[in-house]
Amino acid sequence: MAKRDYLKMTDMTLAEAHRVLRLTTRLKEEPKGRRATLLAGRAIAVVLEKASTRTRVSFEVGIAQLGAHPVVLSTQGSQLARGEPIRDTARVLARYCDAIAFRTSSTARLHEMAEASVPVINALSDDGHPVQVLSDIFTIEEALAATGDRSGIAGRRVAFIGDCSSNMARSWLEAAPLFGFHLVLAGPEGYMPPADEVARAAGHVTLTNDLREGAAGADVVNTDVWASMGQEGEAERRRAAFSGWTVNAGVMAKAAPHAVVLHCLPAHRGEEIDDETLEGPRSRVWDQAENRLHVQKALMLWLLGVELA
């Protein structure tokens, strides 16, 4: 089997994505210890150049639940802090481990890590967060199925409200034509994704600088923090730019009556989303967080070519 990486949404076809999501459903429904021998004797590295809660825990626990050994490295806990080139780290890790999940700021560093001879997963980079968006799509389809609707995300209207230049918005933009839904990116002027990425999603995306227009008729309302990691120095400027862009009851009143709310966390309550909406009946945020575990387990099995009996 040729090595496969998962660095962006389109590193798998739609058929492959559906296969991973079906596998996710099976894994989520099973007892935790059911698949503890699938990856027995293997090791998977989780390399973190940016701070993490959900990414670290979901990968570490998922790896262990599949029977492999998680090797978690932070920058300060490895030679990366002393300037070892990524390509050297990648080659050594590939001699020890069967796959690598890498969380970094630099897309160039991500691609350098992907020169390793084992599968590499983008666990977050500056221009994308594909494992999160794949988990979000699973969460949306799971929420629909709970109502008896198994038609999936294709044809739905998904709104992303806030910083539309963020890695989350850019992975949603990549996912829209792949999965066949319509994405509405709603944010202030100056906070939109690169024009070439918008062009590639032509026919599947609408851009707007109007908050309520963005939410209008949406099946899903999605948001994220206004200042991501590494943007702390811009926090005050961003708060001013995003003033009035809080997802709240007024915004949700514009969405479809059945609309659900997503947020990849951590949330700054009272900024991009208010407490009432985050904790309200439309929120699927906690399911969304849990589903990172199940989706990533399925993704690792798929990349390693391991089938369920």
Side-chain angles (χ1 to χ4, degrees), residues 233-275:
E234 304 175 33
E236 288 305 317
R237 178 172 62 81
R238 284 172 168 266
R239 282 193 195 97
F242 288 98
S243 178
W245 282 84
T246 302
V247 174
N248 54 27
V251 173
M252 293 307 300
K254 300 293 183 180
H258 59 266
V260 297
V261 176
L262 299 181
H263 190 309
C264 65
L265 302 176
H268 293 172
R269 298 166 189 246
E271 291 189 4
E272 73 277 0
I273 190 168
D274 69 358
D275 192 78

Side-chain angles (χ1 to χ4, degrees), residues 199-211:
R200 284 196 290 273
H204 293 274
V205 62
T206 297
L207 308 184
T208 180
N209 302 127
D210 185 297
L211 170 60

Side-chain angles (χ1 to χ4, degrees), residues 140-158:
I140 292 164
E141 296 196 333
E142 181 183 55
L144 290 168
T147 69
D149 185 346
R150 299 189 178 276
S151 60
I153 196 172
R156 306 287 174 171
R157 188 174 181 87
V158 177

Side-chain angles (χ1 to χ4, degrees), residues 64-141:
Q65 287 182 359
L66 294 174
H69 181 75
V71 180
V72 180
L73 291 175
S74 66
T75 299
Q76 294 303 318
S78 68
Q79 294 297 331
L80 291 171
R82 299 179 64 224
E84 181 174 48
I86 286 289
R87 61 183 180 275
D88 292 355
T89 300
R91 283 184 287 188
V92 171
L93 288 177
R95 299 291 182 103
Y96 300 146
C97 300
D98 297 88
I100 302 167
F102 187 36
R103 183 177 176 90
T104 183
S105 57
S106 164
T107 302
R109 290 174 74 79
L110 174 68
H111 285 282
E112 193 171 350
M113 184 68 84
E115 294 176 12
S117 58
V118 297
V120 173
I121 298 170
N122 179 0
L124 180 141
S125 62
D126 280 354
D127 64 0
H129 200 354
V131 290
Q132 180 66 62
V133 172
L134 190 62
S135 299
D136 294 353
I137 290 169
F138 177 82
T139 303
I140 292 164
E141 296 196 333

Side-chain angles (χ1 to χ4, degrees), residues 47 53 78 88-90 136 150 170 175 181 183 233 258 276 284:
V47 183
T53 298
S78 68
D88 292 355
T89 300
D136 294 353
R150 299 189 178 276
R170 292 168 70 181
F181 61 85
L183 177 68
H258 59 266
E276 179 185 1
R284 296 296 179 272

Side-chain angles (χ1 to χ4, degrees), residues 274-290:
D274 69 358
D275 192 78
E276 179 185 1
T277 305
L278 186 67
E279 298 288 357
R282 290 182 165 195
S283 173
R284 296 296 179 272
V285 170
W286 316 110
D287 294 334
Q288 178 187 6
E290 177 191 345

